[in-house]
Amino acid sequence: MGRSKSDAKITMKKIWAYLKKDKKTALALGFLFSISLAGLLLPFLSIDPNNFDPLNIQGPQPPSWQHPFGTDDLGRDLLLRCIDGARVSLMVGLIAMSIAMSVGTFIGAIAAYIGGWVDQLLMRILELFLAIPSIFLILTIQIMLKPSIYNVMIIIGLTSWMGVARLVRAELLSIKERTFITAARARNIAPLRLLFKHMLPHAINPMIVAAMLGMGYAILLESVLSFLGLGVQPPNASWGNMLENSLAFMRDAPWMALIPGLLITATVMALNYLGDALRQAWDPRA
């Protein structure tokens, strides 16, 4: 049947115990929490990270007490722009992965539950999408459309569902053969209720792990698209377009490239660490 409250409490205790034991994962969680909180609070501080004085442009300034991350070529504070970029990147990762999880879960669940020719057809469609390099597909669609943050989220989400669908299908095929599902079928439980209340809850753990890893992939893709000018458009801040803007100043102002580059790397690594921690915590063999 569905998960009990005691099972959820045990799972949370295992996760917390793993976080206390693994300092890298605890640090990753603290980092993600910090940049998320800073990104959420920035719009309420009445500070515009894109604001600059066109009559007093002094070029990029190195890190100082006034500007801990330095300034860019227009004199804009890089700390504020990095925080604003964190908000954009995390929002893209969260929404894109939500779309991918929704589509992938639906297709994987239908394929596993119905089986037969429906399963075969859906898997052939999945393999067709996998045969096309996703980055080229995303670039092609973005070139055809007007670049915007909303297009980026939707396109990344609609081109990232295949792995989720495979994972959900594999988990449900295993769950479908268990004794409690056979008993539920014998009670003539409605198919949709059987699928969503009795089967899918038992596949939620690997799905959450896949979502954490997928968020890192989505953030990386958004940074690539913004770097190429096909994602977040200036003057709005994104770690990707901040990197692109820094290319002309690599020798004189290396901090303009170093800081957003390190933030992209640290965020993706933190999400991967957290996903691995969740996998270890939920692994019955651990």
Side-chain angles (χ1 to χ4, degrees):
M1 301 299 173
R3 289 183 175 276
S4 65
K5 290 184 179 179
S6 61
D7 290 338
K9 289 181 179 178
I10 292 171
T11 300
M12 291 306 298
K13 286 181 179 178
K14 288 173 66 179
I15 293 172
W16 181 244
Y18 187 89
L19 289 177
K20 288 195 295 183
K21 181 179 70 173
D22 190 339
K23 302 303 181 184
K24 290 182 180 179
T25 305
L27 184 62
L29 184 61
F31 171 75
L32 290 173
F33 177 78
S34 299
I35 62 172
S36 300
L37 183 62
L40 289 172
L41 292 178
L42 182 62
F44 298 99
L45 299 180
S46 301
I47 301 174
D48 184 5
N50 302 319
N51 187 42
F52 68 97
D53 184 1
L55 301 178
N56 187 29
I57 297 177
Q58 300 178 358
Q61 301 296 315
S64 62
W65 287 109
Q66 185 178 3
H67 303 288
F69 285 5
T71 65
D72 64 6
D73 54 310
L74 297 178
R76 296 174 294 191
D77 187 89
L78 280 180
L79 175 59
L80 294 177
R81 289 182 61 76
C82 283
I83 293 174
D84 197 35
R87 181 176 58 84
V88 170
S89 294
L90 292 172
M91 181 178 66
V92 169
L94 184 61
I95 295 179
M97 210 53 230
S98 298
I99 295 172
M101 292 297 295
S102 300
V103 175
T105 300
F106 177 78
I107 292 177
I110 294 299
Y113 187 78
I114 298 177
W117 68 268
V118 174
D119 182 24
Q120 294 297 320
L121 176 63
L122 291 175
M123 289 303 101
R124 298 298 81 75
I125 294 173
L126 183 149
E127 289 168 1
L128 178 63
F129 273 89
L130 286 175
I132 305 172
S134 59
I135 186 63
F136 295 124
L137 181 62
I138 292 170
L139 287 174
T140 302
I141 297 173
Q142 273 292 82
I143 290 171
M144 294 171 60
L145 300 175
K146 181 180 179 181
S148 74
I149 187 63
Y150 304 106
N151 289 342
V152 169
M153 292 186 289
I154 294 171
I155 292 169
I156 293 177
L158 293 179
T159 55
S160 306
W161 58 268
M162 294 81 74
V164 177
R166 273 186 165 180
L167 175 66
V168 171
R169 175 180 176 270
E171 288 290 323
L172 292 187
L173 284 175
S174 173
I175 293 169
K176 191 166 69 169
E177 304 301 324
R178 296 183 185 176
T179 306
F180 70 90
I181 295 298
T182 304
R185 288 180 187 274
R187 293 168 55 196
N188 294 321
I189 293 178
L192 287 179
R193 184 182 179 189
L194 179 64
L195 177 60
F196 289 101
K197 187 175 180 180
H198 297 274
M199 294 176 66
L200 272 177
H202 289 269
I204 196 69
N205 294 349
M207 288 167 60
I208 291 176
V209 175
M212 298 303 299
L213 300 177
M215 274 190 66
Y217 176 72
I219 289 172
L220 201 56
L221 268 182
E222 180 276 323
S223 299
V224 170
L225 291 173
S226 295
F227 181 83
L228 296 174
L230 299 173
V232 178
Q233 299 298 298
N236 296 320
S238 162
W239 291 338
N241 65 26
M242 289 171 68
L243 276 175
E244 190 277 333
N245 185 55
S246 70
L247 290 179
F249 306 93
M250 287 290 289
R251 178 174 296 181
D252 299 324
W255 60 87
M256 287 179 59
L258 182 63
I259 294 173
L262 287 175
L263 285 171
I264 294 171
T265 303
T267 302
V268 174
M269 288 181 63
L271 287 167
N272 288 342
Y273 271 123
L274 191 57
D276 189 59
L278 293 173
R279 181 185 62 80
Q280 292 280 353
W282 277 317
D283 189 348
R285 297 167 298 180

